[in-house]
Amino acid sequence: MISRSSLAKSAQQAVRRSCSVQPFQRRGFAAAASNGAFETTDVSGLKIASRDTPGPTTKLAIVAKAGTRYQPLPGLTVGLEEFAFKNTQRRSALRITRESELLGGQLNASHTREVLVLEASFLREDLPYFAELLAEVVSMTKYTTHEFHEDVERVLHLKQAALNANVAALALDNAHAVAFHNGLGASVYPSSSSPLHKYLNEEYIASYADVVYSKPNIAIVADGATTDNLTNWVGQFFKDVPAKSLNGQTLKTETSKYHGGEQRTTHPGGNAMVIAFPGSDASGSKPEIAVLAALLGAQPTIKWSPGFSLLSKAITGTSGLSASASSLVYSDAGLLTVQLTGTAASVRKGAEETTKALRSIADGSVSKDDVTKAVSNAKFDALEKAQLRSPSLLHAGSGLVHGGKASDVAALAKGIESVTADKLKMAAKSLLNGKATVSTVGDLFVLPYAEEIGLRV
């Protein structure tokens, strides 16, 4: 009797033989450890980056300049994401699923405000198959009316409902709209009250894909593959990617402009506030923003300890409150955000403490020890994200499609190291003297206005 392991092995071999590729030399691990940086190169106008980390698996991603910031009509990025890994000219969606599962691969599509990511994780020796598959997805996807009406609209409505039910996500989405209006202010998912049928259909999605999936707007990034191997398969399978849009269209691009302001939304499902200020862009032009986020913090770094951050100390004993500060970085802009969720009374308390914490930084009353801890914490966070596979692929790919080169994490860490107490003091003063962004969702009778907590909008 044939064992299950033998059957599985035979099936995997059959799938690999079905790929029209040359035999691939297999190996379990990389020959040398990676130093953490991506090697970048250009293959016939396509930007690629690779990092040969040791291990038996590889993650390959296509990062496209196609986030909600660049879509000409609401919902197109979501529609494009939902079409990923469906039918192509060569493979049906069923065949893609069966072959990928036989090889133990995992496929995923996601988007941010600035990029669309098509991602595959697999065994290192299966790079040829998944490189060919991703090439098909970007160049030969079939956009059909049936798939659109059966899948895209259903998924879109589900995601809209999930966003509207999540007060924290809704407050953050509203904060971007208030801070940037257009571009980065576009909602991650269009409102359920918007006229979707007017803007979202298979023809518009196909036209948008024609612009997005062109050489200037995509980057191919791999973690767990040598540059030579990646270059070889990219050159073989991605040669049909057009150098420009076939219909002559270009992406909608506008320089981000920070506005600030306030938005209040009543909601029966909970309470949330986002207090935000203009932050640093991807170049790391304002490293003090990352340190401010670490100093404000609110999430302890050591178990059973309230932590060194100002908010974590201030809200100790305040029940029903979750608070966190972060630096959200985009290609040409950023936001320093404090996100608060919980009961209306506790969120109000957290908002008041946020302003007090910023004032204590601005008047220089924060201890040097806490500043040193914040610098170390911010540096660690930056370097850790550069190690993690999915965040590092996203970071490197976004840098390639927006600036033509992978982001320099070492330079970013060095900039964070240079932040001093005086620089933090000046940065906090500047934020408090400028226009804040305040997004409030929940019980508006209890939740404060920006003016009540001492912020200018």
Side-chain angles (χ1 to χ4, degrees), residues 113-190:
R113 294 181 186 277
E114 291 196 305
V115 295
L116 171 71
V117 182
L118 308 179
E119 195 173 72
S121 303
F122 46 88
L123 296 176
R124 181 182 285 262
E125 61 262 29
D126 295 322
L127 174 60
Y129 171 79
F130 287 96
E132 183 182 30
L133 174 59
L134 288 178
E136 286 187 18
V137 170
V138 302
S139 62
M140 292 182 289
T141 300
K142 295 169 63 179
Y143 301 91
T144 67
T145 303
H146 172 73
E147 280 190 326
F148 175 78
H149 289 294
E150 292 295 320
D151 296 331
V152 177
E153 282 193 328
R154 173 179 55 82
V155 172
L156 186 57
H157 284 300
L158 287 174
K159 290 184 175 180
Q160 287 173 338
L163 176 63
N164 291 333
N166 186 334
V167 291
L170 188 59
L172 185 61
D173 207 49
N174 291 344
H176 280 80
V178 171
F180 299 111
H181 294 184
N182 301 312
L184 289 174
S187 177
V188 176
Y189 298 103

Side-chain angles (χ1 to χ4, degrees), residues 399-411:
L400 283 172
V401 296
H402 286 103
K405 61 180 181 179
S407 301
D408 190 344
V409 179

Side-chain angles (χ1 to χ4, degrees), residues 87-246:
N87 295 335
T88 69
Q89 298 291 344
R90 292 181 182 174
R91 290 177 171 90
S92 67
L94 177 60
R95 178 181 170 184
I96 291 172
T97 301
R98 290 177 64 86
E99 289 182 350
S100 298
E101 288 177 343
L102 283 170
L103 295 176
Q106 300 175 356
L107 304 175
N108 184 50
S110 59
H111 78 275
T112 69
R113 294 181 186 277
E114 291 196 305
V115 295
L116 171 71
V117 182
L118 308 179
E119 195 173 72
S121 303
F122 46 88
L123 296 176
R124 181 182 285 262
E125 61 262 29
D126 295 322
L127 174 60
Y129 171 79
F130 287 96
E132 183 182 30
L133 174 59
L134 288 178
E136 286 187 18
V137 170
V138 302
S139 62
M140 292 182 289
T141 300
K142 295 169 63 179
Y143 301 91
T144 67
T145 303
H146 172 73
E147 280 190 326
F148 175 78
H149 289 294
E150 292 295 320
D151 296 331
V152 177
E153 282 193 328
R154 173 179 55 82
V155 172
L156 186 57
H157 284 300
L158 287 174
K159 290 184 175 180
Q160 287 173 338
L163 176 63
N164 291 333
N166 186 334
V167 291
L170 188 59
L172 185 61
D173 207 49
N174 291 344
H176 280 80
V178 171
F180 299 111
H181 294 184
N182 301 312
L184 289 174
S187 177
V188 176
Y189 298 103
S191 169
S192 56
S193 61
S194 63
L196 291 179
H197 291 284
K198 179 180 178 181
Y199 301 121
L200 187 60
N201 60 52
E202 64 278 13
E203 292 180 3
Y204 289 159
I205 293 175
S207 179
Y208 184 45
D210 180 53
V211 180
V212 168
Y213 295 143
S214 59
K215 288 181 179 179
N217 295 324
I218 67 172
I220 302 168
V221 191
D223 191 341
T226 65
T227 301
D228 288 343
N229 277 332
L230 183 61
T231 300
N232 176 40
W233 299 119
V234 168
Q236 181 171 338
F237 295 129
F238 287 81
K239 59 181 181 293
D240 294 329
V241 175
K244 60 180 180 179
S245 169
L246 299 178

Side-chain angles (χ1 to χ4, degrees), residues 262 359 438 448-457:
E262 183 171 20
R359 285 176 179 160
V438 180
Y449 283 90
E451 184 182 15
E452 295 178 56
I453 56 175
L455 294 177
R456 297 176 54 193
V457 292

